Amino acid sequence: HAKGAGKNGYSFFEQSMNTNARNQLQLLHDLRQALDAGELELHYQPKFAAADAQRVIGAEALLRWQHPRRGLLMPDQFIALAEKTGLIIPIGNWVLNEACRQMSRWYAEGRDDWRVAVNLSALQFCHAGLIDSVRHALERHALPANCLTLEITETTAMQDADASLAILRKLAEMGVDLSIDDFGTGYSSLLYLKRLPANELKIDRGFVRDLEHDSDDAAIISAIVALGQALDLRIVAEGVETESQQAFLTGLGCDSLQGFLFGKPMPAEQFMVGVEALA
Ligand code: C2E
Ligand code: MG
Ligand code: MG
Ligand code: MG
């Protein structure tokens, strides 16, 4: 046994690994039931037109888990586990359906120019059932396809470039809006990017965070905006927290902005209270 082994013969490292594995097992057990128990919910974060920061253009749906004992859990506490075990497929289908249900309500209330954005994990994106799941969710709620944005990360889109291209083309043919999330963190070749049937690039929050103090980040953002404009893509910046970030991004020509400066993710009812207060 390793030096420093405890009385029972296990090192601290092994003990903590066991505890961690036990916690993960418990969490997995809970996650298996979460969907049926109605513990999952979507929060919505507003996206605003950069040119008119009073105008909401839609929302990103972000998953939350109301855990019976541990309280509200964020995606980074359970998405990886869901992905590893395949549970992300039924969960992801629930998210798609729920986001389309909410968007169809908004549509009926006259918000017919909004889009709801749904995040897809890598496994969901490669899963054979994806196209049917998207089609069913749209049909079930009689929602026009262009009211739904699917966000896939640059890294996911790059994993198997040819396969991704085929899937994205099918979605684009259906009329679904496509966004490349966390853009700038992966290694897209410009040639590949040019072939992607995407509609939007979403600048990663990591570049926005320090742009006032880090001239490299500011330069990278300028380059991404120029690239997006050249390829005729909409540019969204995520993680906008300050007015000077807003001014910089708007000045560069970003189309839309999202971040705590404008609104945090929140339940749909609260979201609409905020929207109505703007009007
Ligand atoms: P993402 O798609 O890049 O989502 C943006 C994340 O940044 C969200 O975190 C959002 O709350 C946070 N954010 C937005 N504005 C600001 C800001 O101004 N400041 C800061 N500090 N943070 C901001 P969240 O909700 O914790 O989600 C994290 C990630 O989990 C998402 O990153 C996405 O990759 C994943 N995720 C969320 N919901 C789903 C889902 O339904 N399915 C899948 N597969 N993944 C999801
Ligand atoms: Mg996203
Ligand atoms: Mg993102
Ligand atoms: Mg991100």
Side-chain angles (χ1 to χ4, degrees):
H1 280 291
K3 193 171 151 225
K7 260 190 243 150
N8 56 9
Y10 289 102
S11 69
F12 284 120
F13 177 67
E14 283 167 316
Q15 277 178 3
S16 76
M17 245 190 24
N18 287 341
T19 308
N20 193 27
R22 258 200 312 279
N23 285 343
Q24 287 293 98
L25 213 59
Q26 179 65 49
L27 199 65
L28 178 57
H29 172 263
D30 296 345
L31 189 57
R32 286 220 161 86
Q33 302 178 331
L35 200 53
D36 290 335
E39 292 162 8
L40 299 182
E41 52 188 74
L42 292 182
H43 284 190
Y44 296 89
Q45 185 179 32
K47 284 175 150 178
F48 284 82
D52 176 4
Q54 299 283 95
R55 191 162 64 85
V56 175
I57 58 163
E60 179 171 7
L62 294 156
L63 186 58
R64 303 289 182 258
W65 177 10
Q66 196 69 63
H67 191 283
R69 295 178 309 280
R70 299 175 54 183
L72 191 70
L73 300 187
M74 303 300 273
D76 64 344
Q77 294 172 280
F78 61 90
I79 289 277
L81 186 65
E83 170 107 341
K84 206 160 63 186
T85 54
L87 275 176
I88 195 67
I89 300 298
I91 290 174
N93 286 339
W94 179 85
V95 171
L96 259 175
N97 189 63
E98 181 62 19
C100 287
R101 193 184 62 77
Q102 182 57 60
M103 183 60 223
S104 76
R105 278 197 190 172
W106 285 332
Y107 193 96
E109 291 164 7
R111 316 283 179 179
D112 51 4
D113 55 348
W114 283 8
R115 285 194 180 101
V116 74
V118 168
N119 292 284
L120 295 186
S121 78
L123 191 71
Q124 267 181 294
F125 182 65
C126 302
H127 190 253
L130 175 69
I131 304 288
D132 280 341
S133 294
V134 172
R135 189 177 287 122
H136 285 154
L138 291 169
E139 280 173 7
R140 182 162 169 195
H141 301 287
L143 190 67
N146 71 344
C147 290
L148 175 66
T149 300
L150 295 179
E151 297 192 0
I152 61 160
T153 66
E154 187 188 1
T155 313
T156 297
M158 285 302 292
Q159 251 172 28
D160 180 346
D162 288 331
S164 298
L165 207 55
I167 298 166
L168 288 172
R169 287 206 176 114
K170 276 194 198 143
L171 292 167
E173 270 166 33
M174 287 168 62
V176 173
D177 188 69
L178 300 170
S179 177
I180 309 299
D181 204 351
D182 300 348
F183 190 77
T185 59
Y187 301 92
S188 295
S189 79
L190 297 186
L191 199 62
Y192 178 62
L193 196 61
K194 189 184 137 194
R195 292 162 67 208
L196 278 186
N199 306 93
E200 179 182 279
L201 287 187
K202 205 163 183 185
I203 301 172
D204 189 65
R205 178 150 60 87
F207 299 115
V208 174
R209 189 168 34 224
D210 298 321
L211 80 87
E212 293 130 302
H213 316 289
D214 187 330
S215 58
D216 290 342
D217 284 344
I220 288 169
I221 292 178
S222 306
I224 293 175
V225 172
L227 177 66
Q229 285 172 343
L231 295 175
D232 221 8
L233 299 168
R234 302 194 310 265
I235 316 290
V236 187
E238 66 178 8
V240 183
E241 294 187 355
T242 70
E243 283 175 8
S244 69
Q245 290 167 350
Q246 176 191 8
F248 180 86
L249 294 160
T250 303
L252 278 182
C254 285
D255 299 282
S256 41
L257 305 176
Q258 184 183 340
F260 293 172
L261 177 65
F262 306 100
K264 293 199 169 180
M266 55 200 134
E269 311 79 64
Q270 207 180 320
F271 180 94
M272 288 314 290
V273 171
V275 168
E276 259 130 43
L278 286 170

